[in-house]
Amino acid sequence: MDTEWIRFDAVKGYQEKELEQAAQILRRGGLVAFPTETVYGLGGDGLQPEAAKRIYEAKGRPSDNPLILHISSREELPAIVADIPKKAEALMDAFWPGPMTLIFQKSKQVPYETTGGLDTVAVRMPQHEGARQLIARAGVPVAAPSANTSGRPSPTTAEHVKEDLWGRIDMIIDGGAVGIGVESTIVDVTEDVPVILRPGHITKQMIEEVAGEVRMDPGLAGENPEVKPKAPGMKYRHYAPQAQMTVIEGPLKAVIGRICELAARYPAEKVGILATDETVAYYSHGQVLSVGSRKQHTIEQGLYGVLREFDHRGVEVIFSESFPEEERSEAIMNRLLKAAGQRIEYLPKE
Ligand code: TXA
Ligand code: MG
């Protein structure tokens, strides 16, 4: 299949003809990868069962893993959900458009192919102007998982999408690097007390300020294999580089020392070190990459790109610093530990 490549420019927007072409592909049941503020999405018409099937096929994703429907305005919501709980209203007022996905009871219109057989549906209204214009022009809710091959790190640039899906989808919209870098926070509002099914840029504390008591899905911790996460997608090893990764947690100085010691056991070209702007200079052996700055809070944005870069360099093992005290630590540590298959070594406190 030929894949078209078009651009969305933050200042100039779309070229009118190209936007129309993208919208037509969606209406005809084709697939368009597009930028959002979190990660790139792989879009298809969320109401066409055939489009959902194509998405699963292109990604190589298990079809029991439900998709998120993306809308461009609140008016599009009533057609796809059975009811709108009060707490959901409050959350939408506060966080839409933005990096928050809400789980509702689905309406009859939404096919089970989109929801992976569930009676609930995930809905998100993205903030990204390019995403919103595309959805509005298509005139349909756009089902969009992250635009990566299943199991690989989510794409934060159009080039990442190209690496995974070139020739498998109809179009890629290049909107440059995304702003946030990890997927949306997912909140289940079908229960009295909302439950966070996937941590993201919008934190538990921010949600509590708006909706009162909120719980974390106990399956998220990944500590007890008996307790499964409620979001089907969270159970897979995911976001993962090809190398085996271990996270080292403890006082930063000790972490650096331990990573140096571990890395020395491998040839320099085979060992990756996931460091930060503040610490890169302390490592001298291995493929050392900075994920971003602890001080400037850019870890979240750099994470997936760095994991992909380790793949490009062909490293076989990765040792990573840990970020338990970062501003968005829930989301960062969730993705990092999933990429590491929950492999973590704790060093004693000072
Ligand atoms: O930021 C994002 O949310 C990105 C961009 C493209 O919008 N999308 C995204 O989609 O991350 P995806 O498919 O990679 O992740 C969707 C997650 C999966 O873990 C899935 O299991 C969960 O949402 N999910 C979808 N529908 C659900 C439902 N009805 N109940 C529980 N979890 C659901
Ligand atoms: Mg994904």
Side-chain angles (χ1 to χ4, degrees), residues 39-331:
V39 299
Y40 274 72
L42 174 58
D45 180 347
L47 303 183
Q48 289 186 42
E50 283 305 313
K53 281 189 198 153
R54 281 193 198 111
I55 291 176
Y56 289 119
E57 226 174 78
K59 274 182 67 89
R61 171 170 174 153
S63 60
D64 67 341
N65 190 0
L67 307 172
I68 297 174
L69 287 184
H70 293 66
I71 58 177
S72 65
S73 85
R74 288 265 286 265
E75 286 151 34
E76 297 156 35
L77 186 64
I80 52 178
V81 303
D83 80 319
I84 304 177
K86 274 253 146 43
K87 286 202 171 144
E89 298 268 13
L91 289 173
M92 292 187 286
D93 288 342
F95 301 114
W96 276 11
M100 171 175 283
T101 296
L102 298 174
I103 307 285
F104 297 92
Q105 295 298 331
K106 80 174 193 70
S107 76
K108 289 214 174 69
Q109 267 212 52
V110 179
Y112 283 111
E113 281 81 357
T114 298
T115 66
L118 297 176
D119 288 314
T120 51
V121 61
V123 186
R124 152 160 144 78
M125 180 154 92
Q127 170 103 62
H128 195 285
E129 206 34 53
R132 298 250 299 284
Q133 286 182 24
L134 174 70
I135 300 160
R137 181 63 69 94
V140 295
V142 175
S146 48
N148 51 291
T149 306
S150 192
R152 291 213 69 204
S154 294
T156 53
T157 67
E159 283 74 24
H160 295 163
V161 180
K162 187 175 174 186
E163 255 173 47
D164 285 13
L165 298 175
W166 189 255
R168 303 173 69 84
I169 62 177
D170 299 285
M171 180 181 269
I172 296 174
I173 301 175
D174 180 1
V178 301
I180 292 178
V182 300
E183 304 85 343
S184 60
T185 307
I186 302 180
V187 185
D188 184 348
V189 284
T190 63
E191 296 184 37
D192 285 342
V193 177
V195 185
I196 297 176
L197 304 188
R198 178 173 73 183
H201 191 73
I202 294 171
T203 61
K204 179 162 185 265
Q205 195 190 337
M206 290 160 77
I207 296 169
E208 276 164 349
E209 278 162 20
V210 172
E213 191 194 352
V214 173
R215 279 184 309 194
M216 276 282 182
D217 175 9
L220 277 178
E223 286 153 356
N224 183 351
E226 301 290 301
V227 186
K228 296 264 182 275
K230 264 196 78 184
M234 299 302 279
K235 67 178 185 270
Y236 301 103
R237 177 172 182 248
H238 206 173
Y239 319 117
Q242 276 142 29
Q244 171 172 304
M245 179 157 93
T246 306
V247 178
I248 312 295
E249 186 167 306
L252 191 54
K253 257 195 186 158
V255 166
I256 294 169
R258 177 68 178 145
I259 291 180
C260 288
E261 183 185 310
L262 288 165
R265 299 177 186 170
Y266 301 86
E269 67 277 12
K270 293 293 175 207
V271 57
I273 295 176
L274 191 150
T276 50
D277 291 356
E278 291 81 5
T279 60
V280 269
Y282 293 101
Y283 303 101
S284 54
H285 176 82
Q287 307 287 313
V288 186
L289 295 177
S290 172
V291 66
S293 158
R294 291 172 182 270
K295 274 201 206 107
Q296 287 164 35
H297 311 296
T298 54
I299 310 283
E300 206 184 2
Q301 203 191 6
L303 185 61
Y304 288 138
V306 159
L307 294 179
R308 275 181 186 259
E309 181 57 26
F310 282 126
D311 281 352
H312 292 154
R313 300 204 181 184
V315 302
E316 283 165 12
V317 285
I318 301 170
F319 298 105
S320 173
E321 294 178 6
S322 192
F323 308 96
E325 267 117 48
E326 276 298 302
E327 222 170 44
R328 295 291 191 285
S329 68
E330 287 163 0

Side-chain angles (χ1 to χ4, degrees), residues 22-45:
Q24 269 183 26
I25 292 173
L26 290 174
R27 288 193 292 257
R28 288 196 200 122
L31 304 185
V32 177
F34 62 97
T36 82
E37 69 277 22
T38 55
V39 299
Y40 274 72
L42 174 58
D45 180 347

